[in-house]
Amino acid sequence: MKFVDEASIRVEAGDGGSGCVSFRREKFIPRGGPDGGDGGDGGSVFLVADANLNTLVDFRHRRGFRAERGKDGMGRNMTGRSGEDLLVRVPVGTRVRDKETWESIGELLRKGERLLVAQGGFHGIGNARFRSSTNRAPRQSTPGTPGEQRRLHLELILLADVGLLGFPNAGKSSLIRKLSGARPKVAGYPFTTLYPNLGVVSSGNGRGFVVADIPGVIKGAATGAGLGIRFLKHLARTRLLLHLLDIAPPDDFVDPVQQVREVESELRAYDGNLARKERWLVLNKRDLLDPADFERRRTGILERLGWSGPAFGISAVTGEGTRDLTRALMRYLDQERREAAIEPGATSPDQAVDNGGDWHPLA
């Protein structure tokens, strides 16, 4: 099923029920007095984060959601039943905005979290509530207030600890297949990856982290070229970026250093905060070179880039170097969590969905 990360919907809360005008009429009880009950409150609309969902595709088929109206009040001081709240399930990581004003309403970052998006109407008052010493037979009541109506823009931003970044065919999908149970399509041509993939990497003892793979970024992505710019937002919540680089490109005219600079330029053009995020360099496909040639190329690339951060040489196909990379990632993320004095939270593996690279609702 197609991966959908944006959708627009309309939500309508229920109106409040109207108050009742009624007078007690029973045999042998003359002038029984007012007994009109209040109406019920209208139901509200809530968005609920569901870890079993991983796309907004359901909202392409259903765009309107309406909560139940409150019932009107009745005689004998009977209050109308309140309308049921409507719970609309969305994936964890959904950002919600008002479509008319573009105001941010909130984000759902944890499993089971709720967000009120439309408040139900308040109930009307029955005539029994208007009785007083000077007004013993009131004939007035109030109607229920209308429920809130809104047009919402939903945007799904994946929750992951580590994001994979790089040109097409750099080996991002091969690496996520090697590190996790995700099984995205891998082929020898560019733009094999059309949609983001999530994989859960386990390091034993119940510890692990989530990796996100997005389509490759190319020159001009910030102005609409390729697919990467559309999905770069899914790296916004990651704690660390792995910049994969093909150290043995098939064409001699391809310059790996120039590719790194072009990706950096696109990151800055898209979002300065994303460009400033912690980024490690991963030199992939070392199995295609002999050790001496690999070391020579590695040194030359790092010197030309002036790279001072962590750099790793791996083979996503054979697995060479991936264990050291996984251990370093786990140490870094553990340190980040300790410094932030928080638990893994919404980006912990138990709240991610590792679906083998295929995006589809599980419920």
Side-chain angles (χ1 to χ4, degrees), residues 6-308:
E6 292 189 14
S8 295
I9 63 173
R10 179 180 178 84
V11 293
E12 298 182 15
D15 298 339
S18 298
C20 174
V21 175
S22 173
F23 292 89
R24 187 178 182 186
R25 290 290 184 268
E26 294 186 33
K27 192 176 182 180
F28 307 123
I29 304 180
R31 297 185 294 277
D35 67 350
D38 298 343
D41 292 328
S44 299
V45 181
F46 292 86
L47 300 185
V48 182
D50 188 339
N52 291 326
L53 298 179
N54 45 44
T55 176
L56 296 172
V57 69
D58 290 347
F59 299 105
R60 290 291 176 92
H61 308 293
R62 182 184 176 190
R63 297 175 180 268
F65 299 87
R66 178 182 296 174
E68 186 179 14
R69 181 186 186 276
K71 300 299 182 181
D72 295 337
M74 294 169 284
R76 298 190 178 184
N77 290 309
M78 289 191 290
T79 300
R81 182 174 63 84
S82 294
E84 293 284 345
D85 291 335
L86 179 62
L87 306 181
V88 181
R89 298 188 304 154
V90 297
V92 177
T94 299
R95 175 184 293 166
V96 186
R97 295 181 184 272
D98 187 297
K99 192 170 177 63
E100 307 297 336
T101 64
W102 212 242
E103 172 193 3
S104 176
I105 297 176
E107 298 180 332
L108 296 157
L109 303 179
R110 300 183 187 279
K111 176 182 176 182
E113 189 174 1
R114 290 190 179 191
L115 177 65
L116 175 65
V117 292
Q119 177 66 55
F122 186 71
H123 62 266
I125 304 300
N127 70 331
R129 299 273 294 273
F130 289 94
R131 180 175 52 188
S132 67
S133 59
T134 59
N135 186 12
R136 299 191 177 186
R139 295 183 177 277
Q140 67 263 46
S141 64
T142 62
T145 60
E148 190 175 13
Q149 300 182 8
R150 261 179 167 168
R151 289 177 57 82
L152 304 177
H153 179 78
L154 307 182
E155 183 180 27
L156 173 61
I157 300 180
L158 300 180
L159 299 177
D161 297 295
V162 179
L164 303 184
L165 185 68
F167 259 59
N169 255 26
K172 301 184 297 299
S173 296
S174 297
L175 180 59
I176 200 173
R177 286 172 67 97
K178 197 68 178 180
L179 296 181
S180 72
R183 289 296 177 264
K185 183 178 180 180
V186 173
Y189 52 85
F191 299 110
T192 308
T193 301
L194 300 178
Y195 308 109
N197 296 283
L198 283 183
V200 178
V201 182
S202 175
S203 61
N205 298 323
R207 297 164 63 243
F209 54 90
V210 182
V211 179
D213 168 32
I214 67 169
V217 178
I218 62 174
K219 184 177 181 180
T223 58
L227 299 172
I229 187 66
R230 177 185 170 191
F231 298 112
L232 276 176
K233 63 184 178 183
H234 294 296
L235 302 180
R237 289 174 175 156
T238 60
R239 295 175 177 158
L240 174 67
L241 298 178
L242 293 185
H243 191 151
L244 264 71
L245 187 64
D246 184 352
I247 198 172
D251 298 318
D252 294 335
F253 63 85
V254 175
D255 183 3
V257 172
Q258 184 61 28
Q259 288 185 334
V260 172
R261 290 171 176 164
E262 288 177 0
V263 171
E264 290 174 340
S265 176
E266 298 304 324
L267 287 179
R268 288 192 295 270
Y270 176 75
D271 185 350
N273 293 327
L274 187 59
R276 290 187 291 271
K277 193 177 289 288
E278 176 77 13
R279 184 161 48 98
W280 292 1
L281 191 63
V282 179
L283 306 175
N284 189 27
K285 304 184 182 181
R286 64 177 299 172
D287 56 303
L288 301 180
L289 305 172
D290 61 66
D293 193 18
F294 167 76
E295 199 57 44
R296 178 180 59 80
R297 294 196 186 191
R298 176 183 181 277
T299 302
I301 289 172
L302 297 182
E303 287 180 352
R304 289 177 59 196
L305 287 173
W307 190 267
S308 59

Side-chain angles (χ1 to χ4, degrees), residues 310-363:
F312 298 82
I314 69 162
S315 169
V317 174
T318 66
E320 182 180 3
T322 56
R323 178 171 295 183
D324 291 338
L325 174 62
T326 301
R327 290 173 177 171
L329 290 171
M330 196 70 253
R331 287 195 298 269
Y332 175 85
L333 294 173
D334 284 345
Q335 181 64 27
E336 281 282 299
R337 291 163 182 165
R338 284 194 295 269
E339 291 178 355
I342 61 172
E343 296 178 355
T347 58
S348 63
D350 61 342
Q351 293 190 5
V353 179
D354 184 3
N355 52 26
D358 295 326
W359 289 86
H360 60 278
L362 301 182

